[in-house]
Amino acid sequence: MAAPAKSSPRDAQVMAAVLKDMGVLDYEPRLINQMLEFTYRYITDILDDAKVYSTHANKKNLDTDDVKLAIQCKMDHSFTTPPPRDLLMEIARHKNSQQLPLIKPYSLPRLPPDRYCLSAPNYRLRTLKKSRIQIGLPQFSSGSPRISIAPMQSKGSSSSSHSLTVVSKAQPTVTIISKPAAATIPKPTIRVNTGMTKVLPNTSGQIITTRPIPTSTLSTIGQQGALGGQPVIPGVNPLKRKLEDDDYDK
Amino acid sequence: MADPPSMEDAKVDISEKQTLLAVLQFLKKHNLKETETLLKKEAKVSDEEFKTEDSGPTASEVSHALAAYKSDDDPSIYEDLYTDIKAFIDSCLDVHKVELATILYPVFVHMYLELVYNDHEQLAKNFFGKFSLDQEEYYREDLMKLSTVYKKEHMAGNQLMDNFKSSKFVIRMSRDSYTHLKRHLQEKQLSRLLNIIQEHLFIDVFDGIPRNKQQIDASSGGLLGESDREANKVKVYYGLLKEPDLNIPLEEDEDNTEGEGDKPKKKKPKKDPLLMKKSKNDPNAPSNTRIPLPELKDMDKIEKINAFREAMKRVKVDREHMPSVCFYTLLNSCQGVTCIEVSEDSSLISVGFNDSFIRVWSITPDKLRSLKSPTELEIIDKEADDVLERMMDERSATEIKTLCGHNGPVYSVSFSPDKHNLVSASADGTIRLWSLQTWTNLVCYKGHNYPVWDVKFSPHGHYFVSCGHDRTARLWSTDHYQPLRVFAGHLSDVDSIQFHPNSNYVATGSSDKMVRLWDVQNGNCVRVMSGHKGAVHCLSFSPDGRTLASSGVDQVVILWELASGTMLAQMKGHTDTVYCLCFSRDGGVLSSGGLDNTVRIWDIKKIYEELDSDSDANIPSTLHVNDSPNLLITTYKTKSTPVLLLHFTRRNLLLGSGAFSIT
C-alpha cells in the first residue's frame, strides 16, 4: 500500500519508514494505526514499570537500568519465546525413548481418561438441604490419613469428576456432622474416607462421612483450639460467616 | 626495551599489519606506553587506524557461546579479509569458483556478527552495506533480518542469531576445491578467517567433480546451508503396508462373473498395478507391527471394499487425459477462511475460520445428522443391521454443522479416516478432537503452548500429528492426553506436516526452508532435505510412498526421492505462494494450487521416465535435477480465488476449494 500522505502526523510517517526498513512494503493502511497503538501501549507500560522500580530504589529520576529491568520483566511475561533448542531436544529424547503404547482392540471410543476429556457435564444439580446430627465424640487416634485437597469447581468440567480419597489406617468410627455445629463445608472441600470404602457419588445429594482427624499429624492445619468439641475441618474458621450448605458430591 | 622491528611503511601486507596491530594492542594492554609510542612512530601507523577494543564480555545476558565472537583484532581487517577472499575465489579456475563462492555467505555473516559483538556499530553497518548485495538472491530475507541486529544487545534475544551461533553452516564441496581453499588460507596465514571457517562452517567434502552453479543453487537456500549427507543415510521403509486379505465380492454389473478375494486373476482394462502387489512382500515396506496400529473393524472393512470398488472405476489421468476439476468456492467469508479440508471419501468438507469456528458441510446429497439422545438410544434394536442409521436422529439433519470451542483462529483441520472424528489446531496452542456423530468437542490436547500451524490424522486412524510455532512436531494418539513422540530438530516454526501412506513416517516442512522426514517408531529424523528458498507450506506423499512433493513461499514444487533424500525435480511455474498439493490416485500426475489463483497439473510419469539411473547420492555432482518447463501439463485459473485445498477423489476427479477474495 502507498505510504501515508504528507499531511499525516509525524508518528505515522515514522512508522511507515520503519516498516519500509524492515522490508514490509505491502500493507493495509490500518496497520499503521495498529502499530502506533501497540507502540504507545508498550512504551507506557514499560515506563510505568520503570518508574515503579525507580521509586523502589529511591532514585530521583528514571535511569537506563530501570528501563532495562522493566523491559526484561515484560519480556519474560508477555513476550515469551519458544523454549531453546537444547531443551526441546532433551524433552524429545526423553519422550521418544518410550515405546509406543499398544492399542487394545475393541475399546472404542479411544479417549483419554474422563478427567482429561470434556465429556463430563459442566453443571451440577442443586440438592435439598438435609440436617445432620452429630453422633458421639470424635475419637482421636493414631494413624495418619493422608488428605489431598481437590477444589471442587462448578465451572471447570474437566475436573468435575475429581474424587477425593484418603487412605486412613484408623478405626472406622463415623461421625456425621450436624449443620448447626458450624461444621459448614467451605470451599475447598475435604472429605475423609476410610481406607476401604469410598463415598460413592449419588445424584440425590449426600451425607458426608468424615473421619476423626488426629491432630498430631496435621501440623499444617492450624491448631484451631477446640479440638475436643467437634472435628476440626481445616480451613474453617468458626468465626467466619456460615456458607450455604451445598453438597459437593461427585 | 625491545627494539621494534623495522618495517617498510609503503607495502604492508595484511597479515603483517595484523601482527603489528596485535603487538600494539598487547603493549597497550600491559601499559608499555613508551614502547607503544615508539613502535607506532617507527611503523608509521596512524592513530585512527588503531582502535581500542572492548575487552571482556560485560553483560551477563550475553551467553558463553557468543563470546566466541570476541576478538582482539583490529576490526577494519574484516573488510580487507573479505575482499581478499573474494579476489582469491575470482582468481580460481571456473570449476572451483562456484563451489568456493558458497563460503562467502557464511563468512560474511559471521564477520558481521563479530563486528557487532565487539561494538563496532558503524563499521558493521559499512561492512554490511558494502557486501550484502553481493550475496545470493535467496539469502535476501535472512540478510534483512540480520540487518536489524546492529548492537550487542540485539544479539541476545534474536532467534536467527541463536541458530547461527549454535549450529554450523553446512556446505558441500568437492575435494579439489577444498584443498585449494585450505592451501590458500594456510599460505597466507589468514588465521582470523581460518578460525571463522573452522568454528562456524562444516564443509562436507565429497570425492568427485565439482558441482556446477545449477546443482549448487538447487540444494542451497536453507537457513544453515545444505543438508549433511550423513543425515540421510538411515534406511527408510517407504513401501506400503501389506493390505489385509478381504473377500471383495465383485459387482453384478461387471462383465467377469468370477472373482476371488482381492487378487482377481483376470486382467481388467483399468487395472491398477498397485492393487496387484498385495501378495508380494515388499522389502522396502515396514512390517505391519512396526508401530501399533488399530485393528480393522467390520465398518472399516466395508469401507475398504467400497474404496476398492470405486478405484476400479477410476478415470485415467495423464498428459492426454487431463483431470476435470470441481471447485467449491466460499463466498462472503470476509477473508476469514484459514483452512479447508475434505474427508478421504470426498463426502465432507470442513472449513476453519479466523473467528475460531469450524463449519462442516456435506457435499453429497446425504445430510449431516447427530446422534439421538440417550433415552431414545436405549429403545432402538441393537441387533438390527442398520443400527448405525437408526442411531442418528433424523430431525437434526442439516447440511451444515458448526463447531465452536477454540480460543483463536483455527489453522488446520483433519478428518479421521472413519469420518467419526475431526481434529483441529488453533492459534491458542490447543488441538481439539470433535465427534462428528454428536457434533461436540471431546478432548482438548494441550502441549504446544504456541500456535499450532498444522494437524493431520493418520491414514489408519488413532494417531494424529501436529506442528507449530514452538519448532516441534508432536505425535498424539486419541487416547493419551500427552504426546507420544516429540520431533524436535527444526530451527524455526514447523509450518506443515504430513503422514506417509504407511503411517510409519511423518514429513515436516518448516520456515527454516528444510523438509525433514521423521520415524514414528523412535522419533529420529531420518531425512533432511534442503533446496527450498522459502518456508515450506504444503507436503504430499505419492500414493506408492516412494516420493514426496513439497512447496511453499518460494513458488517451486520440488519432488524428493525418499530412498536417498535427493531432489528429483523442480517444477517452476507458480507466481505466488503454493498452499496445496495433491497426487492423483495412481500417482501419475501432481496438482498444485496457491495464492496466484491457479491450479497447475504436473507430469510425474515423465519425471520417472527421464530419471537418471547412474546418479549416486554420495556424489552430489552426479545428481541431475529435472527442471524442464515441459513438466507442466496445464494451468486452470480461478477468477479471484486463492486455492486452499486440492483433492483427487477415488475416481480421479479433482476437487478444489478456496475462499473468494475481492482484492
Side-chain angles (χ1 to χ4, degrees):
Chain A
M1 294 287 166
K6 287 289 163 57
S7 58
S8 61
R10 219 190 106 234
D11 281 348
Q13 289 177 6
V14 168
M15 186 53 73
V18 167
L19 285 169
K20 188 164 152 220
D21 229 6
M22 296 299 287
V24 181
L25 298 167
D26 193 11
Y27 50 86
E28 287 184 23
R30 284 186 299 175
L31 180 69
I32 304 242
N33 295 26
Q34 276 184 324
M35 296 291 285
L36 285 174
E37 250 187 65
F38 168 74
T39 314
Y40 182 77
R41 196 154 55 94
Y42 178 70
I43 303 270
T44 45
D45 279 350
I46 299 274
L47 289 178
D48 280 339
D49 287 349
K51 189 74 190 148
V52 167
Y53 298 139
S54 165
T55 43
H56 177 80
N58 294 326
K59 284 194 259 194
K60 260 193 174 170
N61 298 317
L62 271 187
D63 209 347
T64 42
D65 289 334
D66 300 322
V67 179
K68 273 194 191 153
L69 183 63
I71 293 176
Q72 201 180 10
C73 287
K74 198 94 181 130
M75 291 293 279
D76 292 338
H77 272 285
S78 336
F79 299 107
T80 48
T81 51
R85 204 153 155 242
D86 41 1
L87 181 64
L88 288 175
M89 302 295 266
E90 188 54 45
I91 296 173
R93 204 190 348 256
H94 180 254
K95 266 272 181 256
N96 297 345
S97 56
Q98 297 155 6
Q99 294 269 12
L100 286 174
L102 295 173
I103 303 175
K104 290 195 280 276
Y106 310 116
S107 59
L108 280 182
R110 298 207 172 93
L111 294 176
D114 280 341
R115 60 197 295 240
Y116 299 106
C117 286
L118 304 172
S119 48
N122 55 359
Y123 57 86
R124 190 169 20 246
L125 294 172
R126 224 177 126 84
T127 61
L128 299 171
K129 295 184 191 180
K130 279 199 154 84
S131 69
R132 300 185 203 129
I133 312 148
Q134 183 169 5
I135 300 173
L137 289 171
Q139 304 291 326
F140 293 104
S141 52
S142 59
S144 45
R146 284 176 285 131
I147 300 179
S148 61
I149 302 176
M152 292 300 193
Q153 295 169 17
S154 45
K155 289 172 206 117
S157 47
S158 59
S159 55
S160 59
S161 45
H162 278 180
S163 68
L164 185 60
T165 55
V166 174
V167 175
S168 158
K169 297 182 221 149
Q171 308 89 339
T173 57
V174 172
T175 312
I176 305 172
I177 300 174
S178 70
K179 178 187 165 184
T184 52
I185 299 98
K187 307 175 175 66
T189 315
I190 300 167
R191 272 180 303 142
V192 179
N193 289 336
T194 57
M196 300 301 122
T197 61
K198 221 157 96 157
V199 175
L200 294 166
N202 192 327
T203 46
S204 62
Q206 276 359 296
I207 300 172
I208 296 183
T209 59
T210 63
R211 278 289 302 124
I213 302 161
T215 49
S216 53
T217 54
L218 294 174
S219 52
T220 53
I221 302 165
Q223 270 59 19
Q224 303 253 350
L227 295 174
Q230 53 221 33
V232 177
I233 310 249
V236 177
N237 189 346
L239 299 173
K240 247 188 174 165
R241 182 169 52 92
K242 294 186 176 82
L243 295 169
E244 198 175 15
D245 184 8
D246 274 356
D247 282 320
Y248 285 94
D249 254 11
K250 278 238 185 317
Chain B
M1 228 165 51
D3 270 326
S6 60
M7 275 184 221
E8 308 248 339
D9 51 277
K11 296 169 193 149
V12 182
D13 201 0
I14 294 177
S15 48
E16 290 188 37
K17 194 173 168 191
Q18 235 177 305
T19 330
L20 175 64
L21 291 169
V23 171
L24 279 171
Q25 285 179 22
F26 177 78
L27 293 174
K28 186 181 177 86
K29 231 197 257 181
H30 293 265
N31 272 328
L32 301 166
K33 289 205 178 67
E34 287 189 31
T35 326
E36 196 193 319
T37 42
L38 207 57
L39 180 57
K40 266 196 214 165
K41 217 175 3 168
E42 294 241 345
K44 296 199 178 67
V45 174
S46 57
D47 264 326
E48 63 249 22
E49 282 185 66
F50 174 59
K51 289 193 177 61
T52 53
E53 291 295 325
D54 213 11
S55 56
T58 48
S60 54
E61 65 255 20
V62 180
S63 63
H64 265 306
L66 272 183
Y69 281 126
K70 175 177 143 43
S71 83
D72 284 331
D73 300 332
D74 182 4
S76 67
I77 62 165
Y78 286 117
E79 276 200 34
D80 299 326
L81 271 179
Y82 190 84
T83 337
D84 181 65
I85 192 83
K86 229 170 89 167
F88 159 68
I89 291 175
D90 276 333
S91 70
C92 282
L93 293 176
D94 277 347
V95 271
H96 299 303
K97 211 190 287 202
V98 274
E99 279 210 330
L100 289 174
T102 54
I103 69 160
L104 280 177
Y105 172 69
V107 163
F108 166 75
V109 170
H110 286 290
M111 279 189 179
Y112 174 73
L113 290 172
E114 285 199 14
L115 282 171
V116 168
Y117 185 87
N118 292 308
D119 281 334
H120 304 296
E121 195 181 317
Q122 193 48 45
L123 269 179
K125 283 195 182 148
N126 291 345
F127 183 75
F128 193 87
K130 202 164 163 188
F131 296 120
S132 66
L133 297 169
D134 292 340
Q135 308 303 326
E136 296 282 350
E137 182 64 39
Y138 40 82
Y139 291 124
R140 194 53 45 87
E141 259 186 49
D142 292 340
L143 283 172
M144 212 153 25
K145 286 189 202 147
L146 204 57
S147 67
T148 64
V149 175
Y150 52 83
K151 281 194 203 290
K152 194 157 85 175
E153 291 80 19
H154 295 166
M155 287 174 84
N158 196 317
Q159 201 191 31
L160 187 65
M161 269 296 315
D162 279 348
N163 289 335
F164 268 113
K165 81 166 191 255
S166 57
S167 320
K168 294 197 170 196
F169 195 95
V170 178
I171 294 181
R172 276 188 225 148
M173 209 182 271
S174 66
R175 196 166 289 283
D176 302 330
S177 318
Y178 180 62
T179 43
H180 213 62
L181 176 70
K182 226 162 100 172
R183 209 180 327 131
H184 170 81
L185 289 175
Q186 280 169 351
E187 271 174 13
K188 297 278 187 116
Q189 291 178 341
L190 300 168
S191 60
R192 191 76 222 123
L193 198 54
L194 202 56
N195 272 350
I196 293 178
I197 291 180
Q198 276 174 349
E199 276 175 31
H200 299 289
L201 261 71
F202 172 65
I203 301 189
D204 188 12
V205 184
F206 63 88
D207 292 307
I209 58 170
R211 297 185 290 167
N212 59 21
K213 185 94 174 83
Q214 191 207 31
Q215 286 170 328
I216 292 176
D217 275 346
S219 66
S220 45
L223 199 67
L224 284 184
E226 307 173 51
S227 58
D228 187 1
R229 274 176 306 143
E230 280 308 310
N232 289 354
K233 290 272 169 88
V234 183
K235 180 167 166 67
V236 165
Y237 294 100
Y238 55 80
L240 300 175
L241 289 178
K242 193 153 172 244
E243 296 285 322
D245 274 336
L246 294 170
N247 270 330
I248 300 181
L250 292 176
E251 301 215 348
E252 305 76 55
D253 51 23
E254 294 276 42
D255 291 337
N256 305 329
T257 47
E258 66 164 280
E260 64 228 63
D262 53 350
K263 304 188 271 284
K265 307 278 192 297
K266 298 221 170 98
K267 288 251 183 250
K268 295 203 175 13
K270 292 169 196 170
K271 199 71 184 92
D272 197 329
L274 276 175
L275 302 169
M276 291 276 258
K277 274 209 187 116
K278 285 174 201 164
S279 46
K280 303 186 198 132
N281 276 329
D282 188 358
N284 288 314
S287 78
N288 281 25
T289 51
R290 190 168 181 266
I291 61 165
L293 288 173
E295 85 284 359
L296 278 186
K297 300 182 292 297
D298 292 337
M299 266 183 352
D300 295 332
K301 291 189 182 151
I302 297 173
E303 191 58 38
K304 271 204 183 309
I305 294 174
N306 278 341
F308 184 75
R309 282 215 200 105
E310 296 271 315
M312 304 299 294
K313 300 187 191 145
R314 195 183 291 173
V315 172
K316 192 162 160 200
V317 166
D318 59 19
R319 193 173 277 266
E320 288 81 42
H321 311 93
M322 291 191 264
S324 313
V325 185
C326 176
F327 201 86
Y328 293 92
T329 312
L330 287 131
L331 299 171
N332 297 330
S333 59
C334 309
Q335 332 290 29
V337 171
T338 46
C339 63
I340 309 180
E341 183 66 32
V342 72
S343 64
E344 197 268 335
D345 63 347
S346 327
S347 61
L348 298 172
I349 277 193
S350 151
V351 182
F353 290 87
N354 252 338
D355 55 7
S356 82
F357 287 163
I358 300 164
R359 292 192 173 89
V360 181
W361 275 270
S362 161
I363 47 180
T364 53
D366 294 330
K367 294 206 175 165
L368 302 174
R369 292 172 179 73
S370 69
L371 214 57
K372 285 183 179 164
S373 68
T375 44
E376 289 175 30
L377 281 176
E378 284 184 331
I379 313 173
I380 62 175
D381 177 15
K382 293 176 190 59
E383 303 296 323
D385 272 339
D386 59 347
V387 64
L388 297 170
E389 271 72 48
R390 291 196 195 181
M391 262 185 353
M392 298 307 202
D393 190 0
E394 281 303 320
R395 293 166 297 176
S396 63
T398 54
E399 278 184 21
I400 162 177
K401 295 274 186 204
T402 308
L403 302 168
C404 40
H406 271 296
N407 240 338
V410 177
Y411 286 129
S412 179
V413 277
S414 179
F415 284 96
S416 69
D418 57 2
K419 293 197 302 176
H420 288 169
N421 295 316
L422 178 82
V423 272
S424 60
S426 149
D428 60 3
T430 62
I431 301 157
R432 284 175 190 257
L433 179 75
W434 310 83
S435 159
L436 297 184
Q437 290 172 312
T438 58
W439 304 98
T440 53
N441 189 359
L442 293 176
V443 192
C444 179
Y445 301 95
K446 300 176 203 169
H448 293 278
N449 290 324
Y450 296 91
V452 188
W453 301 127
D454 203 1
V455 74
K456 283 282 183 320
F457 240 113
S458 146
H460 296 93
H462 187 256
Y463 295 112
F464 58 93
V465 281
S466 63
C467 62
H469 178 61
D470 61 352
R471 294 173 276 159
T472 59
R474 290 165 202 242
L475 174 84
W476 312 74
S477 80
T478 51
D479 54 5
H480 286 80
Y481 62 97
Q482 284 184 336
L484 299 174
R485 290 281 179 265
V486 175
F487 304 119
H490 275 294
L491 302 163
S492 187
D493 299 22
V494 188
D495 294 310
S496 55
I497 197 163
Q498 189 68 256
F499 259 108
H500 190 280
N502 64 19
S503 287
N504 273 270
Y505 295 94
V506 166
T508 55
S510 158
S511 288
D512 66 0
K513 306 163 204 159
M514 303 282 211
V515 176
R516 283 178 186 243
L517 190 71
W518 308 85
D519 188 346
V520 163
Q521 193 198 41
N522 50 25
N524 294 338
C525 178
V526 293
R527 292 284 181 269
V528 180
M529 298 173 275
S530 67
H532 274 295
K533 316 279 189 286
V536 180
H537 281 295
C538 48
L539 298 162
S540 181
F541 281 95
S542 60
D544 58 6
R546 282 177 52 195
T547 56
L548 169 69
S550 63
S551 187
V553 170
D554 62 355
Q555 307 155 20
V556 178
V557 180
I558 297 185
L559 192 71
W560 310 92
E561 181 175 43
L562 294 177
S564 55
T566 54
M567 193 189 294
L568 288 181
Q570 274 184 329
M571 292 166 267
K572 300 185 182 148
H574 276 284
T575 52
D576 209 338
T577 314
V578 177
Y579 275 125
C580 49
L581 289 170
C582 189
F583 276 90
S584 66
R585 292 282 173 153
D586 51 359
V589 136
L590 171 68
S591 62
S592 62
L595 280 187
D596 57 353
N597 306 338
T598 60
V599 174
R600 284 173 205 254
I601 312 287
W602 310 91
D603 195 347
I604 303 296
K605 216 160 60 165
K606 192 160 184 215
I607 296 176
Y608 281 134
E609 283 166 12
E610 296 178 358
L611 259 188
D612 199 2
S613 54
D614 53 310
S615 57
D616 180 8
N618 285 325
I619 305 176
S621 42
T622 57
L623 297 171
H624 172 65
V625 176
N626 191 341
D627 57 358
S628 80
N630 297 333
L631 293 177
L632 177 65
I633 298 178
T634 180
T635 309
Y636 299 106
K637 293 195 180 65
T638 69
K639 257 198 218 141
S640 162
T641 311
V643 183
L644 286 179
L645 163 79
L646 282 173
H647 170 80
F648 271 97
T649 65
R650 287 174 179 162
R651 298 198 193 186
N652 267 346
L653 169 69
L654 181 56
L655 294 186
S657 188
F660 183 74
S661 76
I662 306 160
T663 52

